[in-house]
Amino acid sequence: MDFHPTEEQAAAAGLAARIFGDLATHERLGAAGTSSDAELWKALTTAGMAAAVEEVGLLGLVLILEEQGRTTAQVPYAATCAYGILPVAAHGTAEQRARLLPALGTGEAVAAGAFPARGRITSEDGRLTGTAPAVPWLRDATHVLVPDADRALWLVRTDAPGVSTSPVETTAPWSAGRLTLTGAEGERLGDEDAYEATLAAARTAFAGLQAGVCAGSLARAVEYTSTREQFGRPLSTNQAVLLRAADAHMDTEAIRVTAYEAAWRVDQGLPAREHALTAAWWASEAGKRVVHAGQHLHGGMGADLDHPVHRHFLWGRQLDAYLGCGSELLAELGAVLAQEG
């Protein structure tokens, strides 16, 4: 394994850090409410950050998503890459790649994904029927990647006949929506293996996003406890504070390294399903510990809904729920290992 980023991956992550740092400010995030930041999305796509994913691979995407997570930037970047650019590039036909990738790369098209498959959507002769209760960034999407009950993948236009969407508010402001399909026409993407490959890549990508969310939460806690004084000395000199922050740091590093390993294996064409599940488990279980610690270390300030650290708390809990609870992920991981054994 080699987790050292290539020159292209490092450059993409550095550029992403500058764009997110300049535009995903506390004031702009507050003004956006639960909607995406259209100006930030335009800046990202104009800089080629979406199109670059084809070149930098899943590990490069994880590095970029870490930077998004640090700032909790409200753009449909993770969904467009995980459910649009990567699956189309990996599983699409030559015609699909030529037609879809340019628009996804420029931001003209935005993808969302009704993942994971819950058996709520059925298909018959390419016509899809069913509902997905909460699809992140559906309100921004022009296309949604839908797995049917048999785990075949279908790409559906959100403006097509038989497609209905309605806003849904989630814990984090992810512009989510309820997707209802009534005989909607879908475009088949990939073969029978495409679903598991797409799910593994998406889990890895969102684990990378969680690593950034946790790193941002911890950085805010370190800054706060280093400057906030109690009894004439900084809170950070209190042993209990030090130990809580140290535990949060180790949890964050565990999320990061497992996401890097899964992404590296995907990029190398190696089996990565169990590694993606491991990364998702760490992101879910450890992620919620870290964002709780970040809020608690702010004391009373952490209870302020308008404080920046509270946004990290909301994102961390949303990612915990989206990736799946720890016991659910462990059960799936155990079944995979037993099957392979």
Side-chain angles (χ1 to χ4, degrees):
M1 293 177 290
D2 183 3
F3 298 159
H4 291 93
T6 64
E7 183 177 343
E8 292 79 9
Q9 290 169 339
L15 178 57
R18 290 195 294 274
I19 295 173
F20 287 129
D22 289 343
L23 294 180
T25 62
H26 178 55
E27 293 73 22
R28 287 178 61 89
L29 289 167
T34 62
S35 301
S36 295
D37 187 330
E39 183 181 344
L40 175 53
W41 179 238
K42 183 177 180 180
L44 283 171
T45 54
T46 300
M49 297 308 301
V53 174
E54 289 186 73
E55 300 297 326
V56 301
L58 185 55
L59 181 55
L61 175 59
V62 165
L63 293 171
I64 296 169
L65 287 174
E66 277 192 77
E67 301 304 331
Q68 180 183 358
R70 289 180 202 275
T71 58
T72 60
Q74 292 173 202
V75 287
Y77 184 73
T80 293
C81 294
Y83 299 125
I85 293 173
L86 288 180
V88 170
H91 308 292
T93 63
E95 187 277 331
Q96 287 174 320
R97 293 194 297 271
R99 172 167 47 88
L100 296 168
L101 288 176
L104 290 165
T106 62
E108 178 185 353
V110 174
F115 274 65
R118 300 293 189 189
R120 298 188 180 101
I121 296 173
T122 60
S123 64
E124 184 175 354
D125 298 326
R127 299 284 178 174
L128 306 176
T129 299
T131 61
V135 179
W137 290 287
L138 182 63
R139 280 180 265 167
D140 300 327
T142 58
H143 298 74
V144 57
L145 190 63
V146 179
D148 65 19
D150 296 321
R151 299 192 173 185
L153 290 186
W154 303 89
L155 200 59
V156 178
R157 289 192 60 91
T158 55
D159 60 357
V163 179
S164 174
T165 65
S166 56
V168 171
E169 297 302 336
T170 52
T171 301
W174 283 5
S175 296
R178 178 184 177 88
L179 176 69
T180 303
L181 303 174
T182 309
E185 184 177 357
E187 177 181 359
R188 182 66 187 269
L189 185 69
D191 57 21
E192 63 274 7
D193 297 324
Y195 171 78
E196 289 296 348
T198 300
L199 179 59
R203 280 170 164 163
T204 303
F206 281 95
L209 185 63
Q210 182 75 301
V213 170
C214 292
S217 174
L218 183 57
R220 291 187 182 280
V222 169
E223 180 182 10
Y224 179 80
T225 57
S226 297
T227 56
R228 174 74 170 176
E229 291 191 358
Q230 188 177 59
F231 306 119
R233 61 176 186 167
L235 286 172
S236 60
T237 61
N238 185 298
Q239 188 179 43
V241 171
L242 288 170
L243 291 174
R244 189 78 186 275
D247 286 343
H249 171 73
M250 294 305 296
D251 273 338
T252 301
E253 289 302 299
I255 299 169
R256 177 180 288 118
V257 73
T258 52
Y260 284 6
E261 180 184 16
W264 178 84
R265 291 184 66 88
V266 169
D267 287 343
Q268 296 299 312
L270 299 172
R273 184 180 176 188
E274 60 266 39
H275 301 82
L277 277 164
T278 301
W281 181 84
W282 274 104
S284 176
E285 287 291 294
K288 63 187 174 190
R289 288 198 298 265
V290 174
V291 295
H292 273 271
Q295 192 168 35
H296 290 167
L297 288 173
H298 278 76
M301 294 298 294
D304 183 355
L305 302 185
D306 294 324
H307 195 283
V309 78
H310 185 68
R311 190 174 291 109
H312 289 271
F313 176 79
L314 295 178
W315 276 64
R317 290 313 310 253
Q318 182 66 51
L319 282 162
D320 164 37
Y322 184 64
L323 288 165
C325 68
S327 58
E328 181 183 8
L329 291 167
L330 283 181
E332 186 177 346
L333 177 59
V336 171
L337 294 175
Q339 185 180 32
E340 292 180 353

